[in-house]
Every structure is written in C-alpha cells, then in structure tokens.
C-alpha cells in the first residue's frame, strides 16, 4: 500500500492501513490495547454501581408475603437481594464488591445447614429468640448484633421465638466473578450439631458497639468491628458503626471503598459526591439500607429528632491487602 493510500481514511475516520491491520487481528485472537487504553487504565476510579436506597417499610411487607408463600424448605434461604440498579453491574449485587440482602425466618422454621467459600455476616434488624448456629456454636440473635459466618464453616438458622426474625446479610460474593472458586455444600441433616454459646468471638453485641460510640463526647464517633486480635472481621469485608448526634454532621469521607450503610436508628440524609463530579442526596429512616459506590465523598447529617446510629459494610480489608486503598 502506497503512503498516500495508507493515510486515506474510511467513513469511520480510520486510515485504510489501520483498518486493514485491525481486520487481521481477530483471527489470531488478539486485540489492540491502544483502542481501549482509557477503558483498561482509566484516569480515575470508575465504579459500575450507582447510589441506591432500599426502604425497609416498603420491603418488609414483601418479605413477610414471601414468608407466607415460600417455605423455608423450598427457599433454603428466604432472602430479598438488594440489587443495585446500575445496568453496567450486570449482576444481583449491591455494590461492585459487596452483596447484601434481607433475610426472613419465621417461628419454628430452620434454614438448613450448609457451608460455602464466601465470607458472610448478618446484622440483626428485627425479632428475638432467633439463632445462628456456626461450627457448633448456637448463638441467639438480638437486635443490632453482628454475627459472622467465616468461610467454609457449617451453619444453619432457626427461630424459637414469636413473630418474624429479619436481618441484613452481607457477603463477598461479587469477588467470585473474578475468582470462580465459590460453591456451597449442603449438610446431610437440616441442623448441624450445636450447643448454645452466651459469648462467642463471632458475635458482636450491639450494646457493646453502642457503648464504644457513646463513650465519645464529639458530635460524630466511629468504631471498627475487629476480632480479639485487633484484626478486621475478615480478609475481604469489614464493618464499622457510626454515631452522629442529633442535628450534627459527620466529617466527609473520601476513599476507594464501596459501602453498604444500614440505619440502626434515627433519620437523616447523606450527601454523596460521586467520582464523575455529580452529587446525590439520599434521605433515610430507621432500618433503611443504601449503597455508596467507590471513590465517593460521603457525609451524613442527622435529623434534629434524635441521635443517629449507622452500620456500614465495606471492602476495606480487601483493598488494604491489595494496596488499593486510597483516601481522597
């Protein structure tokens, strides 16, 4: 091809020489990086997830309806997944790296025992005398408690009280899109043998967490969930709780984490500055849940009615381990 011909362009503005080269590549199962460089190595974080909020007072009736229609045997885990509306996410996840859902168990039911590769936790929203049995430890749930399910440990759930038992599930399931090593194994019986435990390293009572938050006199306080060794609760997902005094605002947080926030009590709003420069404001009330994409600037404002307590789940442990955690 002569130089003059090579410099000529087609209707797409690509030189004939370049178009000829590109046409030869698919047969060799290669692609040119230079045509997608900005997508492969973007100039700033570009999460797929969007800001989203799930209203508990709207979801609770649907969850209870599912409890009347779908048996625990049929469902195995009766959960309404909190699915981020971002089309680009293309999966039933809550953020790019965190999965969350609302789970219900009715009195007398058992969610059968199984184990899985994913790490999981549950934040208890409503009910009493429900329990989670993990690796032989039968742990009763109280509102606001966090109970962990470490990887590959047998666990089941049951309810010995009255009324619905509802909690927020949090798992690292999105990671297994990149690492296709996740699976679950059912136990041979509905219950794994267990004994009641009043105190367990995998249970974080809300009364203890609230006590730490209230020990501060400042307008805003935070405590991170850590194990007895002072480490994060898992290698992939972490959790923290915040208290904002009535009518006060939390300091802005800007980092590479994505967050799933749950309102333990109180009402208010959160201002979220997104990676693309836009801003979203989410108003929330008790037991609502909302998602914050990575690389956002987040600030919470409590209403004047009462102090606010928030629970948050994030991918901070994973990002720190991979040296991907950055503050803005």
């Amino acid at each position: 091809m002569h130089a003059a011909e090579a410099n000529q362009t087609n209707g797409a503005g690509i030189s004939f020489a370049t178009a000829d080269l590109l046409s030869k590549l698919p047969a060799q199962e290669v692609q040119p990086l230079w045509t997608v460089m900005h997508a492969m190595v973007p100039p700033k974080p570009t999460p797929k997830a969007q800001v989203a909020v799930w209203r508990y007072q709207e979801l609770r009736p649907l969850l209870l309806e599912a409890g009347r229609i779908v048996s625990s045997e049929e469902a195995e885990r009766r959960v309404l997944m909190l699915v981020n509306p971002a089309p680009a996410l293309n999966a039933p996840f809550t953020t790019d790296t965190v999965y969350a859902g609302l789970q219900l168990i009715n009195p007398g039911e058992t969610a059968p025992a199984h184990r899985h590769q994913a790490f999981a936790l549950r934040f208890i929203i409503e009910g009493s005398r429900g329990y989670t049995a993990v690796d032989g430890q039968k742990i009763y749930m109280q509102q606001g408690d966090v109970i962990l399910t470490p990887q590959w440990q047998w666990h089941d759930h049951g309810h010995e009280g009255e009324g619905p038992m509802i909690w927020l599930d949090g798992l690292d399931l999105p990671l297994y899109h990149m690492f296709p090593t996740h699976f679950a194994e059912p136990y041979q019986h509905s219950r794994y043998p267990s004994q009641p435990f009043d105190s367990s390293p995998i249970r974080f009572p809300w009364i203890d967490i609230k006590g730490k938050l209230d020990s501060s006199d400042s307008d805003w306080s935070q405590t991170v969930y850590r194990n007895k060794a002072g480490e994060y609760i898992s290698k992939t997902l972490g959790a923290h709780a915040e208290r904002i005094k009535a009518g006060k605002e939390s300091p802005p947080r800007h980092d590479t984490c994505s967050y799933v926030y749950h309102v333990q009590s109180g009402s208010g709003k959160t201002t979220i500055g997104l990676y693309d420069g836009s801003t979203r404001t989410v108003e929330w009330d008790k037991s609502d849940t909302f998602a914050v994409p990575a690389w956002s600037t987040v600030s919470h404002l409590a209403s004047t009615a009462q102090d606010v307590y928030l629970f948050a789940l994030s991918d901070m442990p994973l990002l720190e381990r991979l040296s991907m955690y950055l503050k803005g």
Side-chain angles (χ1 to χ4, degrees):
M1 181 179 292
H2 295 296
E5 295 175 333
N7 290 330
Q8 293 178 354
T9 60
N10 60 20
I14 301 173
S15 72
F16 287 112
T18 299
D20 181 60
L21 169 64
L22 296 181
S23 70
K24 301 172 184 176
L25 301 183
Q28 304 302 320
E29 297 184 339
V30 295
Q31 296 181 20
L33 173 62
W34 63 87
T35 63
V36 293
M37 188 68 178
H38 285 289
M40 295 288 286
V41 189
K44 57 185 175 182
T46 54
K48 296 177 182 178
Q50 300 175 0
V51 174
V53 59
W54 293 270
R55 311 289 182 189
Y56 187 67
Q57 291 307 314
E58 296 175 4
L59 291 182
R60 186 179 185 275
L62 299 176
L63 196 56
L64 296 181
E65 183 177 355
R68 293 190 295 270
I69 297 173
V70 182
S71 69
S72 58
E73 293 80 12
E74 180 183 356
E76 186 172 352
R77 296 294 188 267
R78 192 188 294 109
V79 178
L80 294 182
M81 299 184 294
L82 305 184
V83 180
N84 194 283
L89 204 55
N90 195 32
F93 303 145
T94 313
T95 74
D96 292 75
T97 53
V98 181
Y99 160 95
L102 297 180
Q103 183 165 172
L104 165 71
I105 188 166
N106 286 318
E109 290 183 336
T110 296
H114 66 192
R115 61 181 179 178
H116 44 65
Q117 288 282 66
F119 166 81
L121 65 73
R122 53 203 52 84
F123 180 90
I124 312 308
I125 299 174
E126 179 181 340
S128 62
R129 294 294 296 171
Y131 64 85
T132 288
V134 181
D135 198 31
Q137 301 181 47
K138 184 179 181 181
I139 303 167
Y140 285 95
M141 307 174 183
Q142 299 294 329
Q143 186 178 6
D145 288 358
V146 167
I147 300 174
L148 311 182
T149 304
Q151 293 174 286
W152 208 238
Q153 290 193 1
W154 295 110
H155 57 282
D156 56 80
H157 313 300
H159 191 359
E160 298 173 354
E162 298 180 358
M165 195 82 209
I166 300 174
W167 62 82
L168 176 74
D169 280 326
L171 291 89
D172 55 5
L173 287 174
L175 305 183
Y176 293 97
H177 264 204
M178 297 294 101
F179 304 99
T181 57
H182 182 258
F183 64 99
E185 178 183 357
Y187 188 61
Q188 56 185 326
H189 304 294
S190 62
R191 291 285 317 282
Y192 184 78
S194 62
Q195 295 294 326
F197 273 67
D198 293 330
S199 178
S200 170
I202 61 172
R203 174 177 176 254
F204 296 81
W206 176 250
I207 189 172
D208 295 345
I209 298 298
K210 184 176 184 296
K212 292 179 180 179
L213 294 172
D214 292 344
S215 66
S216 170
D217 293 329
S218 63
D219 293 339
W220 170 84
S221 59
Q222 173 181 296
T223 187
V224 176
Y225 289 76
R226 297 184 183 275
N227 62 23
K228 298 293 185 182
E231 301 167 334
Y232 288 123
I233 56 176
S234 82
K235 296 177 180 179
T236 53
L237 297 184
H240 74 264
E242 301 179 41
R243 185 210 63 196
I244 308 104
K245 287 188 176 180
K248 303 301 182 180
E249 190 171 7
S250 68
R253 178 200 303 271
H254 183 205
D255 60 21
T256 44
C257 292
S258 67
Y259 293 92
V260 175
Y261 281 95
H262 180 79
V263 185
Q264 198 280 336
S265 62
S267 62
K269 63 181 180 180
T270 297
T271 301
I272 305 167
L274 297 168
Y275 74 95
D276 61 3
S278 62
T279 300
R280 287 282 307 277
T281 299
V282 174
E283 295 186 353
W284 34 260
D285 211 330
K286 177 178 169 55
S287 300
D288 289 347
T289 305
F290 59 98
V292 176
W295 204 235
S296 297
T297 302
V298 181
S299 182
H300 311 294
L301 176 64
S303 71
T304 58
Q306 66 181 96
D307 292 353
V308 162
Y309 293 87
L310 301 175
F311 169 78
L313 181 63
S314 79
D315 51 7
M316 186 177 290
L318 176 67
L319 297 184
E320 287 189 357
R321 281 177 169 271
L322 298 177
S323 299
M324 292 180 178
Y325 179 73
L326 294 173
K327 291 184 178 180

